[in-house]
Amino acid sequence: MEAGTPPPQGGPPPGPYPPGQYQTEMEPPKRPAPGAGWWVGAIAFALALGVVGFLLGQSIGESNEADRYAVGEPAYQAIYDQGFAAGQGKGEATGQAEGAEAGKKAGFQEGEAAGEAKGTKAGAEAALGGFDDWVSGAPYIVRVKPGTDEVPWVVSTRTQMQPDTDYALCQSDPQSV
């Protein structure tokens, strides 16, 4: 090829290439450094993966734990037996305490009623002078005398009135009939 003649079209000219005119190896273009948006996205993605992993692990763990304590499983039965024993003991203790208190109250009421009845009977016997064969609805002439502090008046004598009999104060003892 002669000097001044342009190289043929379609490729490099034949022969040695002048240095620096053509690149024989190409360097890849330089990538720019990741920016703030790339880092925020990467962190958000990593957090999302962490949350999903945590929730998935928790769900699997809860499922496994729930299966371990399902009705009929040995772990369930062990907990059930412990709760039953504790509840039974507390229930019996509470029931006995409440029963004792109710028994005391019922016993007190029963004793109070029995004592009141006995006291009424004793008071009536003392007030009526020991006469226990009174006829209900029959008229009586009674004489009273001073009693004690508990029973201030006591029947000292009594006479059942009879039909067709006239009664009057005694002329010689106006305190008698």
Side-chain angles (χ1 to χ4, degrees), residues 19-31:
Q21 203 173 9
Y22 299 102
Q23 291 180 334
T24 56
E25 286 187 33
M26 292 190 60
E27 289 182 30
K30 294 205 177 218
R31 291 188 184 175

Side-chain angles (χ1 to χ4, degrees), residues 3-97:
T5 312
Q9 299 291 329
Y17 296 110
Q21 203 173 9
Y22 299 102
Q23 291 180 334
T24 56
E25 286 187 33
M26 292 190 60
E27 289 182 30
K30 294 205 177 218
R31 291 188 184 175
W38 186 89
W39 285 108
V40 168
I43 290 172
F45 182 72
L47 284 174
L49 280 178
V51 168
V52 168
F54 172 77
L55 293 176
L56 185 61
Q58 184 179 15
S59 174
I60 290 171
E62 287 175 354
S63 176
N64 289 344
E65 199 65 14
D67 291 344
R68 184 174 168 215
Y69 291 102
V71 175
E73 294 296 320
Y76 171 88
Q77 193 62 42
I79 289 175
Y80 177 86
D81 291 343
Q82 288 174 353
F84 182 84
Q88 185 178 23
K90 285 183 180 178
E92 285 178 0
T94 300
Q96 287 176 351

Side-chain angles (χ1 to χ4, degrees), residues 8 30 38 54 62 65 69 76 100-101 103-104 115 117 133 135 145-146 149 159 169:
K30 294 205 177 218
W38 186 89
F54 172 77
E62 287 175 354
E65 199 65 14
Y69 291 102
Y76 171 88
E101 188 62 33
K104 285 179 187 176
D133 58 345
V135 176
K145 65 179 181 180
D149 288 337
T159 304
L169 289 177

